[in-house]
Amino acid sequence: MSKAYPFWLKAIAAAAALAAPLFLTVMAGSLISINDHYEYSEFYDWEIIDGETEKIGENVYRVTLTLKNHSAYRFTLQNYDIQVNCNGKRIDKNNSSMHDSYVLEALKAPILPAGQTTEYSFDITLPPNAEYIELEYYGASFSRREYLNMDEFQRRLYLLELD
């Protein structure tokens, strides 16, 4: 003898049977989406921990920086990541191994390994009356800021006195 179930219970069972594949599809899509957002290049966090300058010519200085990558992801340093200011004006780097747009030159960009310290150097030409330079950088990615819901994203300053 079979048991008779009420209509409302049969309706709930049918709705659950139809909703289960939809739920599993949405969950799988969400997991794929989350994994796409957690690429290593999107969550870097680094800082300048030391720096020095060396005069190599008339008004030409070599800046050597020690960079510490605090994240668990490697980070490729781009030309625009560190801005050099002197006397309130932006100074272009003379011979940087970094470029913004050339594909082959971009392959020479320095990579900061995860959790390690790396040295990076570049040459700059400064005005004759320069006493110090300001190195301006963020040190964190925009994606990291968005995921951590950080409203303020302050640029960091590192001052270097000239030799």
Side-chain angles (χ1 to χ4, degrees):
M1 183 168 206
S2 66
K3 184 174 181 179
Y5 293 99
F7 177 75
W8 62 271
L9 192 56
K10 290 179 186 177
I12 289 175
L18 292 174
L22 180 63
F23 175 75
L24 292 175
T25 303
V26 169
M27 287 299 295
S30 296
L31 288 174
I32 291 169
S33 176
I34 288 170
N35 285 336
D36 286 345
H37 287 295
Y38 286 112
E39 293 179 13
Y40 66 88
S41 63
E42 294 186 358
F43 293 101
Y44 58 85
D45 181 21
W46 62 276
E47 69 175 323
I48 300 172
I49 58 173
D50 192 21
E52 61 183 35
T53 60
E54 175 188 356
K55 190 169 187 171
I56 58 174
E58 187 174 332
N59 298 329
V60 179
Y61 291 84
R62 174 159 293 137
V63 177
T64 303
L65 302 175
T66 304
L67 308 174
K68 172 70 175 172
N69 185 354
H70 296 289
S71 65
Y73 307 99
R74 72 178 184 163
F75 166 63
T76 303
L77 195 66
Q78 301 299 325
N79 198 30
Y80 50 80
D81 285 324
I82 300 174
Q83 302 293 331
V84 180
N85 299 320
C86 182
N87 297 338
K89 294 182 182 178
R90 180 134 311 156
I91 306 294
D92 291 329
K93 300 174 184 103
N94 293 350
N95 70 340
S96 171
S97 61
M98 303 180 295
H99 297 273
D100 291 330
S101 60
Y102 302 108
V103 175
L104 294 177
E105 293 297 325
L107 294 176
K108 297 178 185 176
I111 295 175
L112 281 67
Q116 295 183 23
T117 303
T118 305
E119 283 196 358
Y120 167 64
S121 64
F122 56 89
D123 297 344
I124 53 173
T125 303
L126 299 175
N129 59 351
E131 296 176 6
Y132 66 92
I133 58 172
E134 298 174 342
L135 302 171
E136 194 176 344
Y137 67 102
Y138 282 113
S141 68
F142 292 104
S143 296
R144 183 174 178 271
R145 177 191 70 186
E146 291 170 7
Y147 281 106
L148 296 177
N149 294 323
M150 298 165 64
D151 292 333
E152 295 182 14
F153 200 47
Q154 301 291 327
R155 287 189 76 99
R156 301 178 194 177
L157 280 179
Y158 190 86
L159 297 176
L160 272 175
E161 289 187 30
L162 301 175
D163 292 338

